[in-house]
Amino acid sequence: MSVSAEADEVVPYVEVSCVEGKRERRRRPLLDCVSVRFEDARPVRPFRWPPGGRHFPGWYWAATTRQHVGFESWLERDRLVLMDFDPAVVGIASQPFWLHWHDGTRERRHAPDFFVRRADGSAVVVDVRADDWIAPRDAAAFEVTRRACAEAGWGFERVGTPEPVLLANVRWLSRYRHPRCRQRPVAVRLMEVFSQPGPLLSGADRAGDRLATLPVLFHLLWRQELSAEGLAVELMGPHTVVHLASGGAR
């Protein structure tokens, strides 16, 4: 069922490479695929590392899924880090499907950058592109994707460059995202120390040798069992105020 870009409704086809745990290629109407766990899908096209290329692809190990998720640019990698930090996100897949449609002249297709599953069961399709890098052809693809997602009951976001201070803080914390950083006795002491808000470094010292306590402290901040004030407005430092998080651990 192909449609014109000028049609009132967009009901394009989706082509996936992994459906319900099986490695296969299949093209189906989008509305027949809304129950597919796209957060578990494999990328529909490979990530390439061309010599002298302008892109910077790679694989990011996500603490949310404990699996690697692909990216094709540093901007996509930065967005992955922020999504991994978001406690509302429980699943992430990169380039989960091809979206096919007819623009009135010819067949077109687009592979969204990410499919995100949230804790409440809702889904969001995410495309990552800086505001000043959107060509008319790309804008048209994003609009068709947005309309298709609305038909499927999914959200759609086209996101650009993250806020730099928040990104810098979250990228620092992401170094300590692996579960091996959680040393339970140290974590218990840190939670006790920061049951009353206090400066980051002095609290780490109160909990023990800072060489042992700081990695655990940063892990707890990544997990959002502890919260640091002002993450979006200033870089973390010795005097950053840390306290117990109100939302609890993920």
Side-chain angles (χ1 to χ4, degrees):
M1 184 185 301
S2 59
V3 298
S4 166
E6 298 178 354
D8 292 335
E9 295 183 353
V10 176
V11 188
Y13 284 101
V14 169
E15 182 178 326
V16 295
S17 62
C18 182
V19 180
E20 297 172 355
K22 299 178 181 179
R23 182 69 174 178
E24 59 181 302
R25 256 313 156 84
R26 183 186 304 174
R27 189 182 295 193
R28 297 159 57 184
L30 174 61
L31 296 184
D32 290 350
C33 301
V34 293
S35 62
V36 173
R37 290 180 55 84
F38 284 110
E39 64 269 32
D40 297 330
R42 301 179 185 180
V44 292
R45 59 188 176 92
F47 298 96
R48 304 185 185 279
W49 290 260
R54 296 170 56 192
H55 299 289
F56 299 91
W59 295 92
Y60 170 82
W61 186 85
T64 298
T65 62
R66 301 196 180 187
Q67 294 181 347
H68 285 90
V69 182
F71 60 86
E72 290 190 303
S73 68
W74 286 349
L75 193 60
E76 288 184 21
R77 177 209 58 190
D78 291 344
R79 186 57 56 177
L80 264 176
V81 174
L82 292 174
M83 291 190 296
D84 198 21
F85 183 64
D86 185 347
V89 172
V90 297
I92 313 169
S94 57
Q95 298 181 352
F97 54 78
W98 283 111
L99 190 67
H100 293 259
W101 73 97
H102 198 282
D103 67 4
T105 303
R106 60 193 176 103
E107 284 272 341
R108 288 196 58 190
R109 68 177 185 173
H110 171 61
D113 292 319
F114 301 109
F115 183 93
V116 174
R117 183 71 66 184
R118 296 190 176 276
D120 63 3
S122 63
V124 181
V125 172
V126 179
D127 269 311
V128 183
R129 191 70 56 87
D131 294 347
D132 55 352
W133 278 79
I134 303 177
R137 177 183 174 87
D138 297 324
F142 296 155
E143 175 59 17
V144 169
T145 305
R146 182 193 66 78
R147 294 169 62 191
C149 288
E151 290 287 332
W154 300 335
F156 173 75
E157 297 177 1
R158 197 283 304 170
V159 294
T161 304
E163 198 285 320
V165 174
L166 175 63
L167 176 62
N169 284 326
V170 175
R171 283 185 61 185
W172 174 266
L173 295 178
S174 74
R175 301 178 183 186
Y176 304 91
R177 65 188 183 276
H178 198 281
R180 64 172 172 263
C181 294
R182 186 188 184 91
Q183 303 297 317
R184 180 171 173 76
V186 178
V188 170
R189 291 200 298 274
L190 286 166
M191 298 293 281
E192 292 173 350
V193 166
F194 289 110
S195 61
Q196 297 297 320
L200 183 151
L201 191 58
S202 63
D205 287 338
R206 287 172 57 197
D209 182 346
R210 69 175 63 168
L211 292 179
T213 60
L214 279 174
V216 183
L217 173 55
F218 293 140
H219 178 73
L220 294 175
L221 288 168
W222 168 265
R223 291 271 303 170
Q224 300 185 50
E225 296 178 53
L226 294 176
S227 292
E229 294 185 359
L231 280 184
V233 296
E234 62 181 1
L235 295 176
M236 284 189 301
H239 303 294
T240 297
V241 175
V242 176
H243 54 82
L244 293 178
S246 58
R250 286 182 287 174

Short mmCIF file of all heavy atoms in Angstrom, two decimals, residues 20 39 72 78 88 179 184 223:
data_model
loop_
_atom_site.label_atom_id
_atom_site.label_comp_id
_atom_site.label_asym_id
_atom_site.label_seq_id
_atom_site.Cartn_x
_atom_site.Cartn_y
_atom_site.Cartn_z
N GLU A 20 10.25 -10.74 15.67
CA GLU A 20 9.89 -11.71 16.72
C GLU A 20 10.99 -12.75 16.91
O GLU A 20 10.76 -13.94 17.00
CB GLU A 20 8.56 -12.38 16.37
CG GLU A 20 7.41 -11.38 16.31
CD GLU A 20 6.13 -11.97 15.77
OE1 GLU A 20 6.16 -13.14 15.35
OE2 GLU A 20 5.11 -11.26 15.76
N GLU A 39 12.42 -2.62 19.69
CA GLU A 39 13.56 -2.35 20.56
C GLU A 39 14.55 -3.52 20.59
O GLU A 39 15.69 -3.36 21.05
CB GLU A 39 13.11 -2.00 21.98
CG GLU A 39 12.40 -3.12 22.73
CD GLU A 39 10.90 -3.11 22.54
OE1 GLU A 39 10.42 -2.71 21.45
OE2 GLU A 39 10.19 -3.49 23.49
N GLU A 72 26.02 6.24 14.03
CA GLU A 72 26.72 6.61 12.81
C GLU A 72 27.38 7.98 12.88
O GLU A 72 27.97 8.43 11.89
CB GLU A 72 25.76 6.58 11.62
CG GLU A 72 25.33 5.17 11.23
CD GLU A 72 24.59 5.14 9.91
OE1 GLU A 72 23.57 5.84 9.79
OE2 GLU A 72 25.04 4.41 9.02
N ASP A 78 26.11 10.83 21.25
CA ASP A 78 25.75 11.67 22.39
C ASP A 78 24.28 11.49 22.76
O ASP A 78 23.92 11.45 23.94
CB ASP A 78 26.01 13.14 22.05
CG ASP A 78 27.50 13.46 21.94
OD1 ASP A 78 28.32 12.63 22.41
OD2 ASP A 78 27.84 14.51 21.37
N ALA A 88 13.27 6.66 32.16
CA ALA A 88 12.02 6.27 31.50
C ALA A 88 12.25 5.36 30.31
O ALA A 88 11.30 4.78 29.79
CB ALA A 88 11.25 7.51 31.06
N PRO A 179 27.66 -2.21 35.73
CA PRO A 179 27.31 -2.71 37.08
C PRO A 179 28.51 -3.06 37.94
O PRO A 179 28.40 -3.10 39.17
CB PRO A 179 26.46 -3.96 36.78
CG PRO A 179 25.89 -3.71 35.43
CD PRO A 179 26.93 -2.95 34.67
N ARG A 184 28.68 -2.94 46.79
CA ARG A 184 27.55 -2.77 47.70
C ARG A 184 27.90 -2.13 49.04
O ARG A 184 27.22 -1.18 49.45
CB ARG A 184 26.86 -4.12 47.92
CG ARG A 184 25.66 -4.01 48.86
CD ARG A 184 24.84 -5.27 48.92
NE ARG A 184 23.81 -5.17 49.93
CZ ARG A 184 22.68 -4.47 49.79
NH1 ARG A 184 22.44 -3.83 48.67
NH2 ARG A 184 21.79 -4.42 50.76
N ARG A 223 22.94 5.92 37.98
CA ARG A 223 21.73 5.14 38.21
C ARG A 223 20.59 5.99 38.76
O ARG A 223 19.45 5.55 38.83
CB ARG A 223 22.03 4.03 39.21
CG ARG A 223 22.94 2.94 38.69
CD ARG A 223 22.16 1.86 38.04
NE ARG A 223 21.17 1.29 38.94
CZ ARG A 223 20.20 0.45 38.57
NH1 ARG A 223 20.09 0.11 37.30
NH2 ARG A 223 19.35 -0.04 39.44
#
